[in-house]
Amino acid sequence: MANEKPFDNVRLDDVRDGDLKHVEDAQVATDKEHNLTLKEALRAYPKAIMWSILLSSAVIMEGYDTILIGSFLASPSFVNTFGNTGSAAAGTLTITAPWQSAVANGAYIGEILGLAVTGILCDWYGNKVVMTGATVMMIAFIFFSFFGESLVLQLVGQILCGIPWGVYQTVTTVYASEVLPINLRGYLTSYVNLCWVIGQFIASGVLVGVENRTDVYGWKIPYAIQWIWPLPIIAVCILCPESPTWLVKHNKIEQAEKAVSRLQSAKSAAAIPTPRETVALLKKTDEIEQEISGNSSYSECFRGVNLRRTEIATATWTIQQMCGPVLQTFATYLFIQAGLASNTAFDMTLGLYAIAFVGTILSWPMINRFGRRTIFLGGLIGIFVCLMIVGFCGIPSANNTKASWAAGAFLLIFTFIYDSTVGPLTYVIVPEVSSSRLRHKTTVIARNMYNITCIWTGVLTPYMLNPTAWNWGAKSGFFWAGMTALSIIWVYFRLPETKDMTYAELDLMFEKGVSARNFNKAEAVTMFRETRLGSI
């Protein structure tokens, strides 16, 4: 099977059944996708872009809340309500490191549960149904966070809200990767990262607005704002077309062609694949993967060729967390522990997410120009340098104002590099290296590994920063620089370049066992043509 060309068995059957036209449509669709210019794609797929953007907006909710809970640990309002121990030095309330870790990581536990069922439910019911159900659950679960006035209820609220967030993490990325042509795929999958940043920026602005409140509404108002998103998201889920890839996988060919028609402009140019040609390519991609994989169970992700694809997806998403972005989550707390005033710390955090927003947008022209591997590797190198400098800034005492400002400045530079490279590129790479039949499940496995990584990084970081625990402060940069160094080594040897390849071509490259450093578009195109013509 490993040396057998996936199209070889299919070709003879196609000829006998008079279905050679179907084979030719798949090749025409491939050629058109490779020759499609960015301008033509933007004109031809405005509706696909719109639906992807609207559906991805669900991730804004997750980005919003992840910043809330981390920043609340430094909020007088939250600490006054939930503080459970006195500081020997200042005689004031604080929240101990174990409870900081528990509450800050509760959502990741829920996300692991949500992700686990998403891979199965999406296979059965599709993206639209699963997203709608998750958003209805979200409306109910926010009540726990808003009304819970004990740390136990706050933890329960975070765990429950994490379940629909797990659904959002999978469906939004997969949907964006499946409804757009090659040269738009990178923009819209990386847009998911921008939604994270938008949520974080909105949260930072809301927190600045309530920073002077010391009553319970200082933390309840930010929670209540979460109820703004669910109803619009439900409307989008009901109205948007289902992924054509999912429809083809379930042999709903006619519905798949209608879905493609809804994703394309009514006045589409001849340069783009027609709905029939697009579906033909999706069908051939599915046939290749059936030859290689056989089924679409979770266990299949760890067999044969798919094991390598799962490794790449999982490691890529793990690295996104291992290179230190947890410092952004605790940015306000870190700035205060580094010696900055509380109001200055909140303002710096707001600036941090404004920089993240700009960085993500600036990643878009780089994505199609330089490719995935180059940007990801270059970003990690820049992050390593920034984290080392932040660590050195933590060596002087907290009373050293210049060192504190320097640590804050390089954390902002770190944010810009991260959100213009590693942050958005992860959302591009993971769905591209996954096979179409296993894309939901591979994304679930990869994102769950990310969440597990978030748990241990989220548990360690409060101990690093908390003055009642390890009290490392900015010296935490050294630890994350070490993790980044390990990530750089893996990326250099294992991460392939997936730019400008159709999913069928990527299937063949992985099936052939091409090494990470030898992945290239030219070889993929040649391989696809040879397998197509192999037995005719």
Side-chain angles (χ1 to χ4, degrees), residues 104-407:
N105 290 289
Y108 295 123
I109 297 171
E111 287 172 12
I112 290 172
L113 298 174
L115 282 161
V117 298
T118 298
I120 298 172
L121 294 178
C122 281
D123 270 356
W124 292 349
Y125 304 111
N127 301 286
K128 289 163 54 95
V129 173
V130 176
M131 274 288 286
T132 303
T135 309
V136 171
M137 293 169 59
M138 190 73 218
I139 296 173
F141 293 159
I142 294 171
F143 280 90
F144 285 87
S145 296
F146 182 82
F147 290 106
E149 295 195 10
S150 71
L151 286 172
V152 172
L153 286 177
Q154 286 296 312
L155 177 58
V156 170
Q158 289 296 303
I159 292 173
L160 291 176
C161 287
I163 295 173
W165 289 337
V167 175
Y168 298 160
Q169 290 170 352
T170 305
V171 174
T172 54
T173 306
V174 171
Y175 188 84
S177 71
E178 291 182 345
V179 300
L180 293 152
I182 294 172
N183 58 353
L184 293 180
R185 200 166 61 198
Y187 296 120
L188 273 299
T189 50
S190 64
Y191 174 76
V192 177
N193 184 76
L194 184 62
C195 289
W196 256 78
V197 174
I198 291 171
Q200 293 169 331
F201 182 74
I202 293 172
S204 298
V206 171
L207 289 167
V208 168
V210 299
E211 66 176 311
N212 293 323
R213 299 193 69 122
T214 57
D215 59 1
V216 293
Y217 291 101
W219 57 268
K220 283 197 172 191
I221 290 173
Y223 275 143
I225 291 174
Q226 286 183 291
W227 275 308
I228 293 174
W229 281 281
L231 289 179
I233 292 170
I234 290 173
V236 171
C237 293
I238 293 172
L239 296 173
C240 72
E242 182 56 83
S243 162
T245 299
W246 184 86
L247 293 168
V248 167
K249 180 180 175 182
H250 289 78
N251 204 31
K252 299 180 179 182
I253 305 303
E254 196 172 320
Q255 293 180 41
E257 291 189 10
K258 290 180 180 178
V260 174
S261 297
R262 290 189 60 196
L263 293 167
Q264 294 178 344
S265 171
K267 298 180 180 179
S268 297
I272 72 166
T274 65
R276 187 185 69 186
E277 291 165 351
T278 300
V279 170
L281 178 57
L282 293 175
K283 193 173 180 181
K284 285 307 165 190
T285 303
D286 189 63
E287 288 172 1
I288 291 174
E289 293 177 1
Q290 287 189 58
E291 288 284 331
I292 296 172
S293 301
N295 64 64
S296 56
S297 66
Y298 271 115
S299 61
E300 192 63 36
C301 295
F302 300 98
R303 293 176 182 163
V305 175
N306 290 317
L307 175 60
R308 181 187 176 194
R309 303 177 83 156
T310 302
E311 176 218 333
I312 294 169
T314 302
T316 301
W317 227 326
T318 301
I319 287 170
Q320 192 196 44
Q321 182 63 19
M322 280 183 63
C323 64
V326 68
L327 296 178
Q328 296 176 346
T329 305
F330 291 91
T332 304
Y333 191 79
L334 174 61
F335 289 145
I336 291 173
Q337 295 305 315
L340 298 179
S342 177
N343 61 337
T344 303
F346 275 101
D347 290 341
M348 288 278 283
T349 303
L350 183 60
L352 182 145
Y353 290 110
I355 289 172
F357 182 92
V358 173
T360 302
I361 292 176
L362 291 179
S363 72
W364 293 344
M366 292 193 296
I367 285 174
N368 278 352
R369 182 177 177 82
F370 298 109
R372 288 57 163 142
R373 175 184 165 91
T374 302
I375 299 172
F376 203 85
L377 184 59
L380 285 174
I381 293 171
I383 286 169
F384 173 79
V385 173
C386 284
L387 289 171
M388 287 295 293
I389 295 174
V390 169
F392 281 116
C393 290
I395 294 176
S397 67
N399 295 326
N400 190 316
T401 306
K402 291 182 179 180
S404 298
W405 276 104

